[in-house]
Amino acid sequence: MSVAHHDVFVIGAGVCGLSVALVLLDAGLAVAVYAADPPHRSTSAAAGALWGAHLVGADDRVPGWASQTLARFDELAANPATGVHLTSGLHASPDETSPEPDIAAGLRDVTRADRASLPPGYLTGWRYRAPTVAMPDYLDFLVSEVIGRGGTLTFGRPLKSMAQAEELAAGPVIVNCSGTGARELADDDALIPVRGQVAVVANPGLTEFFVGESLEQPDQITYIFPHGPTVVLGGTEQPGNAARQADPATASQILGACASIEPALADAPVLTHRVGLRPVRPFVRLETEKRPGGRPVVHNYGHGGAGVTLSWGCAQSVREEVLALLR
């Protein structure tokens, strides 16, 4: 039984799937989105989220996709309802020879921080302004836009194979934005989940973000992302760990590390904990596959920790693939 009449069947309702749905709707196509998890239970909901290509494979296409998304976020920041804001902050490193971080590439007004202004233990820092995204608000915005433009959203059991997806899809093209689900759905052993855990606390008055690297534990990045009344604190990078429940010991470590950077956070009430599984692979898979029966599938997954950062750029590339197929 097909989900609905449509031209394109999009699998996944995280930030990548919803962004793809929107650009295809803007192109005049009928779009149906299917997902096992609603947006607020997707990995996207656990994102910090600060614009910057983090934990994504080496790929010459990444800078272009990130730049396109940055331009779109600059536009969306004019509307507070989107949850997108242009925020100033600091990226710090304990390495005194640390170069300008890759995450700042493409941003304007990147300046080296005065060493005396850095938190204890950090020897180099860079200040810049970048989009931060309050993901619950942003996902609500994307959903309302998809529905408002005539798209449909259906939630059901996880799809186990592309053959199963083909049974549901009535339209001629399938777009796979299934994130870590693509490991099974697309039979892709190159994709591994990299677990991230964050804590959300009441904002004690912070307005600037902070990102702190660690030399001893490269998989431990301390970050503080204020979003109006709340602050997202992180974080972790745990390859191969697919546990979706928050770990109390990890939560305690995150809260302690962030409070050591910003003492005002020590007494901030904890509102919730979030866990997401980043879909990491050697490079983003954005390509068209012809199925045995002739049905084309446009894959768009493997964005690692940069799903938000690459979302609009990848959506535009998917749009080009889909329109070429339909022509």
Side-chain angles (χ1 to χ4, degrees):
M1 180 178 178
S2 62
V3 171
H5 169 73
H6 51 265
D7 299 311
V8 185
F9 182 75
V10 177
I11 304 170
V15 67
C16 291
L18 294 174
S19 300
V20 163
L22 278 175
V23 300
L24 294 177
L25 287 165
D26 284 345
L29 302 177
V31 179
V33 178
Y34 180 91
D37 293 320
H40 280 259
R41 291 182 58 191
S42 68
T43 289
S44 298
L50 172 70
W51 180 92
H54 173 66
L55 204 63
V56 62
D59 192 322
D60 292 341
R61 300 169 297 176
V62 165
W65 288 332
S67 179
Q68 287 178 284
T69 304
L70 178 61
R72 182 64 177 136
F73 282 160
D74 283 342
E75 297 171 355
L76 292 174
N79 178 4
T82 64
V84 179
H85 300 278
L86 299 180
T87 307
S88 297
L90 170 68
H91 187 121
S93 170
D95 181 358
E96 61 182 352
T97 64
S98 177
E100 179 179 310
D102 292 340
I103 203 169
L107 296 172
R108 298 180 297 274
D109 303 323
V110 180
T111 59
R112 183 182 288 272
D114 181 357
R115 184 165 170 173
S117 70
L118 301 178
Y122 293 97
L123 302 178
T124 307
W126 299 86
R127 296 189 181 278
Y128 54 89
R129 193 165 180 251
T132 55
V133 185
M135 292 309 296
D137 293 342
Y138 186 55
L139 290 169
D140 284 344
F141 165 75
L142 293 178
V143 168
S144 67
E145 289 290 296
V146 169
I147 294 174
R149 300 183 197 189
T152 64
L153 278 79
T154 303
F155 304 106
R157 293 181 178 180
L159 298 175
K160 301 296 185 181
S161 67
M162 291 309 305
Q164 194 176 18
E166 289 177 293
E167 292 176 2
L168 278 177
V173 179
I174 297 172
V175 179
N176 175 22
C177 300
S178 57
T180 53
R183 182 175 172 86
E184 181 174 14
L185 180 61
D187 194 23
D188 188 348
D189 291 338
L191 187 151
I192 61 169
V194 175
R195 184 179 182 275
Q197 179 172 323
V198 300
V200 182
V201 303
N203 191 347
L206 307 184
T207 59
E208 293 196 342
F209 68 78
F210 173 82
V211 178
E213 300 174 2
S214 171
L215 293 182
E216 293 78 14
Q217 297 177 295
D219 60 344
Q220 298 281 349
I221 299 178
T222 301
Y223 55 80
I224 300 170
F225 298 147
H227 298 295
T230 64
V231 187
V232 176
L233 309 179
T236 61
E237 295 175 6
Q238 299 170 331
N241 186 339
R244 293 182 177 272
Q245 296 299 315
D247 174 59
T250 300
S252 178
Q253 183 275 324
I254 289 171
L255 293 168
C258 291
S260 70
I261 300 299
E262 179 48 71
L265 291 169
D267 299 320
V270 178
L271 305 178
T272 190
H273 299 277
R274 299 175 187 159
V275 174
L277 304 179
R278 306 176 182 96
V280 176
R281 68 193 308 276
F283 54 87
V284 175
R285 188 180 185 191
L286 202 162
E287 62 183 10
T288 298
E289 173 194 7
K290 286 294 181 68
R291 296 286 299 158
R295 182 91 66 98
V297 177
V298 181
H299 294 288
N300 178 34
Y301 66 85
H303 303 91
V308 174
T309 297
L310 306 181
S311 56
W312 288 105
C314 286
Q316 291 295 339
S317 291
V318 170
R319 175 182 180 274
E320 293 172 7
E321 292 278 335
V322 169
L323 292 179
L325 290 168
L326 293 177
R327 282 196 293 266

